[in-house]
């Protein structure tokens, strides 16, 4: 599929062609939802004190790259966006929970805010996005690259889908590529983010042997990477001047959308939602890194909540009896099992099991894996 039709139907990102042997492992970034590494990271939210009129204005204030609108490769994508304004609007709506926060992280990392638009291209700003080639999350990290950048993957959690952890890793990765290989040249760093430093470096060597300049615009790279930078720069120009391209961007206030809160131990998302007074689907969307509709099974577990729900959650959590705290178990259905028998075994209700697994009746099958809530007391008795 050519890059033009690819943009029409899919979002493809390959943050994974990295020469892993050349990268130092980011040991402290491994658990960006943990407590200690977050203190510095989340302190960047102090940037909120001076508000812009809206999140789009904040983003535009940080645009620093030349958009090269006269370059034919960029002009091609400008025309594509002009012909497909609904595409931009649809992805912009998907970006609403995250765009302002990502922009803040770029400010704190002293990176241009054009990079906040990379997830438009990588994933359609969908943190649950996966690619058949193995890339996952908002920033489409491949497993090996995610591992190298400290994004842990367990039976409970995948850091590539965690917007907080993966954004931190993406900022570090892009800066690392640009500084390590290209003297800070961000276009080459972004090309390496897409194709891998080995591919970009080989293309630079080939260009030098031809007697050509070795900047991004003179390299012969894979087709996707040849389009990657022009596509980003064109999109940045469209976001800078949406009226000129017939695009109507959704309103995104320049205000905090979510807060990270310690749960003092594991909780199911359904119980956390009840404590916070929000819809369980809201918490699932804010916490896509969790794989079992539960926080991680750790005493220092944390969760993202809508900022307006934080105080209610903390107040209710403080009065939650230990016997009512639920954890989520993985249970494989055996011959003779029924929902009522499984519920009794774990101290859950049939309704809770149905809700956690999207079951509407009572039918289950042998070998089916269920997420089963259990009270702490029942869990300890297992």
């Amino acid at each position: 599929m050519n890059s033009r039709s690819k943009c029409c139907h899919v979002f493809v990102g390959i943050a994974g062609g990295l020469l892993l042997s050349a990268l130092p492992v980011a040991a402290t970034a491994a658990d960006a939802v943990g407590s200690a590494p977050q203190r510095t990271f989340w302190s960047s939210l102090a940037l909120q004190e001076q508000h812009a009129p809206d999140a789009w204005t904040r983003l535009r204030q940080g645009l620093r790259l030349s958009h090269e609108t006269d370059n034919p490769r960029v002009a091609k994508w400008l025309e594509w966006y002009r012909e497909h304004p609904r595409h931009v609007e649809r992805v912009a709506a998907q970006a609403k929970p995250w765009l302002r926060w990502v922009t803040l992280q770029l400010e704190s990392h002293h990176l241009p805010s054009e990079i906040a638009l990379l997830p438009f291209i990588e994933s359609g700003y969908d943190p649950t996005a996966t690619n058949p080639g193995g890339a996952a999350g908002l920033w489409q990290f491949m497993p090996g690259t995610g591992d190298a950048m400290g994004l842990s993957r367990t039976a409970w959690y995948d850091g590539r889908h965690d917007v907080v952890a993966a954004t931190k890793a993406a900022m570090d990765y892009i800066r690392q590529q640009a500084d390590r290989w290209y003297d800070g040249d961000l276009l080459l760093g972004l090309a390496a983010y897409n194709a891998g430093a080995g591919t970009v470096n080989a293309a630079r060597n080939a260009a030098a042997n031809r007697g050509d300049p070795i900047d991004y615009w003179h390299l012969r790279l894979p087709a996707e990477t040849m389009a990657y930078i022009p596509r980003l720069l064109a999109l940045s120009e469209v976001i800078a001047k949406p009226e000129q391209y017939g695009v109507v961007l959704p309103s995104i206030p320049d205000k905090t959308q979510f807060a990270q809160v310690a749960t003092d131990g594991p909780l199911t998302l359904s119980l956390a939602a009840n404590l916070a007074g929000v819809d369980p689907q809201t918490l699932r969307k804010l916490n896509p890194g969790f794989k079992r509709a539960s926080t991680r099974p750790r005493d220092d577990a944390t969760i993202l909540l809508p900022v307006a729900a934080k105080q209610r959650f903390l107040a209710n959590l403080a009065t939650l009896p230990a016997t009512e705290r639920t954890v989520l178990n993985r249970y494989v259905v055996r011959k003779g099992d029924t929902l009522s028998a499984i519920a009794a075994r774990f101290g859950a209700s049939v309704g809770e099991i149905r809700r956690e697994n999207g079951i509407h009746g009572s039918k289950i099958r042998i070998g089916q894996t269920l997420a089963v809530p259990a009270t702490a007391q029942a869990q300890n008795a297992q």
Side-chain angles (χ1 to χ4, degrees):
M1 184 182 294
N2 62 44
S3 59
R4 191 176 178 87
S5 62
K6 187 182 297 180
C7 186
C8 293
H9 303 291
V10 297
F11 303 98
V12 178
I14 309 178
L18 170 66
L19 292 176
L20 295 178
S21 61
L23 272 179
V25 175
T28 60
D31 192 3
V33 295
S35 55
Q38 290 296 339
R39 295 192 183 99
T40 300
F41 189 45
W42 281 79
S43 67
S44 63
L45 293 180
L47 293 168
Q48 297 166 7
E49 294 175 1
Q50 294 185 349
H51 293 287
D54 60 26
W56 298 110
T57 300
R58 177 181 286 278
L59 187 149
R60 293 182 190 112
Q61 290 171 346
L63 297 174
R64 300 206 308 265
L65 299 177
S66 172
H67 295 168
E68 304 291 338
T69 55
D70 292 332
N71 186 301
R73 289 159 63 184
V74 177
K76 171 185 172 182
W77 281 100
L78 283 171
E79 187 59 27
W80 191 93
Y81 286 122
R82 192 190 302 275
E83 294 173 356
H84 300 84
R86 302 291 86 80
H87 168 82
V88 179
E89 293 166 2
R90 185 171 61 253
V91 180
Q94 183 85 8
K96 287 181 72 172
W98 311 113
L99 183 77
R100 176 188 185 269
W101 186 83
V102 171
T103 303
L104 283 170
Q105 306 318 304
L106 289 164
E107 290 181 19
S108 67
H109 282 73
H110 307 291
L111 289 167
S113 58
E114 282 90 351
I115 295 172
L117 302 176
L118 267 187
F120 271 71
I121 297 168
E122 291 285 352
S123 63
Y125 250 103
D126 178 5
T128 69
T130 57
N131 182 282
L138 202 72
W139 299 92
Q140 290 290 281
F141 275 102
M142 292 292 284
T145 310
D147 292 347
M149 297 308 298
L151 296 175
S152 63
R153 291 177 293 130
T154 70
W156 292 83
Y157 170 82
D158 188 336
R160 298 175 302 160
H161 291 287
D162 181 335
V163 174
V164 171
T167 298
K168 171 68 163 61
M171 303 298 99
D172 291 343
Y173 181 28
I174 291 168
R175 175 64 76 187
Q176 186 181 75
Q177 295 295 280
D179 290 348
R180 181 178 182 87
W181 302 106
Y182 314 117
D183 296 324
D185 187 316
L186 281 175
L187 295 191
L188 289 170
L190 290 169
Y193 182 86
N194 180 254
T199 298
V200 175
N201 293 346
R204 296 183 85 204
N205 289 336
N209 290 335
R210 295 192 304 269
D212 291 340
I214 58 174
D215 64 293
Y216 168 78
W217 298 105
H218 291 85
L219 303 185
R220 297 175 185 174
L221 293 161
E224 181 180 309
T225 313
M226 292 290 282
Y228 192 69
I229 305 300
R231 188 175 170 186
L232 175 65
L233 296 180
L235 177 61
S236 301
E237 182 69 11
V238 170
I239 297 301
K241 303 170 185 175
E243 301 87 354
Q244 185 173 320
Y245 295 91
V247 171
V248 180
L249 296 173
S251 174
I252 305 180
D254 190 43
K255 295 181 180 179
T256 305
Q257 300 290 317
F258 54 83
Q260 187 184 48
V261 182
T263 60
D264 299 328
L267 288 176
T268 63
L269 295 189
S270 57
L271 176 58
N274 185 52
L275 296 174
V278 301
D279 184 81
Q281 283 300 112
T282 298
L283 289 198
R284 289 176 185 267
K285 290 179 180 178
L286 282 176
N287 296 275
F290 298 146
K291 296 167 68 173
R292 295 192 182 182
S294 171
T295 65
R296 304 173 78 178
R298 296 161 39 148
D299 290 339
D300 63 347
T302 61
I303 193 171
L304 294 188
L305 297 169
V307 67
K310 175 181 177 180
Q311 293 308 318
R312 176 174 178 173
F313 173 83
L314 290 174
N316 287 331
L317 182 68
T319 61
L320 180 71
T323 55
E324 294 184 18
R325 182 182 287 270
T326 57
V327 295
L328 209 60
N329 295 272
R330 178 179 178 272
Y331 183 77
V332 179
V333 176
R334 305 167 187 170
K335 184 178 180 180
D337 278 339
T338 64
L339 283 181
S340 59
I342 296 170
R345 176 177 180 178
F346 286 95
S349 71
V350 171
E352 286 175 321
I353 297 176
R354 285 176 176 153
R355 185 165 56 251
E356 293 295 343
N357 295 277
I359 297 173
H360 300 291
S362 298
K363 186 177 180 180
I364 53 177
R365 65 183 185 278
I366 296 173
Q368 180 179 359
T369 299
L370 298 177
V372 183
T375 63
Q377 188 175 29
Q379 171 77 7
N380 291 335
Q382 294 299 314

